[in-house]
């Protein structure tokens, strides 16, 4: 009977040692930092955040343009977000209304240029707000506010 107990004890000890080593190795493996085989993603600059509250100033009239090589007509309604702390809202709204005829022509040109640069209608729609924002900022930029418009929001996008 003692030989049976001692053989069970030896068997248990013989089994415990490999299991213990396996557990220690597994714990060490899981504790290591992950290694990626993919190259690191390029660092992107963090998007600029508004310094103050945004106020959306709608353009009072729609902008019309011919796109896709004269094959389609586009009508958009757009609102421009300005930071309340960076520019006088009343003067910006007044400038948008006063310059509406010329601004509409400049925005239509920005529409056509953006359309020619984009391969698909979906890519054009995604790129359009930035193109409109750049066109308005080029027109109204000052030394105090080099980018008076924070973003352009398309409130209506109709392709005929």
């Amino acid at each position: 009977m003692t030989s049976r107990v001692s053989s069970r004890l030896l068997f248990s000890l013989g089994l415990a040692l490999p299991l213990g080593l396996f557990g220690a190795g597994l714990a060490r493996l899981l504790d290591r930092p992950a290694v990626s085989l993919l190259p690191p993603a390029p660092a992107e600059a963090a998007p600029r955040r508004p310094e103050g509250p945004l106020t959306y100033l709608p353009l009072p009239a729609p902008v019309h343009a011919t796109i896709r090589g004269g094959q389609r007509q586009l009508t958009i309604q757009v609102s421009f977000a300005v930071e309340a702390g960076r520019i006088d809202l009343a003067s910006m709204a007044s400038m948008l209304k006063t310059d509406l005829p010329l601004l509409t022509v400049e925005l239509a040109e920005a529409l056509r240029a953006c359309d020619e640069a984009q391969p698909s209608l979906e890519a054009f729609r995604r790129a359009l707000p930035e193109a409109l924002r750049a066109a308005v900022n080029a027109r109204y930029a000052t030394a105090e506010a080099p980018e008076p418009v924070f973003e352009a929001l398309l409130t209506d996008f109709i392709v005929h």
Side-chain angles (χ1 to χ4, degrees), residues 41-119:
E44 294 181 16
R48 185 173 81 84
R49 298 205 122 351
E51 294 174 7
L54 294 177
T55 301
Y56 288 85
L57 301 173
L59 203 58
V63 178
H64 304 280
T66 303
I67 61 169
R68 300 284 119 176
Q71 300 296 318
R72 294 192 163 176
Q73 182 71 24
L74 174 69
T75 303
I76 63 166
Q77 283 287 114
V78 63
S79 291
F80 297 106
V82 295
E83 296 174 68
R86 298 186 83 189
I87 193 165
D88 180 33
L89 295 175
S91 66
M92 184 68 181
S94 174
M95 286 188 293
L96 286 174
K97 286 179 185 174
T98 303
D99 296 343
L100 186 61
L102 186 56
L103 183 61
T104 303
V105 170
E106 290 175 358
L107 292 176
E109 286 302 315
L111 280 166
R112 282 188 211 96
C114 184
D115 176 54
E116 290 172 3
Q118 300 303 322

Side-chain angles (χ1 to χ4, degrees), residues 111-137:
L111 280 166
R112 282 188 211 96
C114 184
D115 176 54
E116 290 172 3
Q118 300 303 322
S120 69
L121 192 59
E122 182 60 29
F124 166 64
R125 188 188 60 75
R126 284 192 308 267
L128 188 56
E130 182 57 32
L132 297 175
R133 185 184 82 80
V136 174
N137 279 338

Side-chain angles (χ1 to χ4, degrees), residues 6 25 69 86 128 139 147 149:
S6 65
R86 298 186 83 189
L128 188 56
R139 178 162 186 75
E147 291 185 335
V149 173

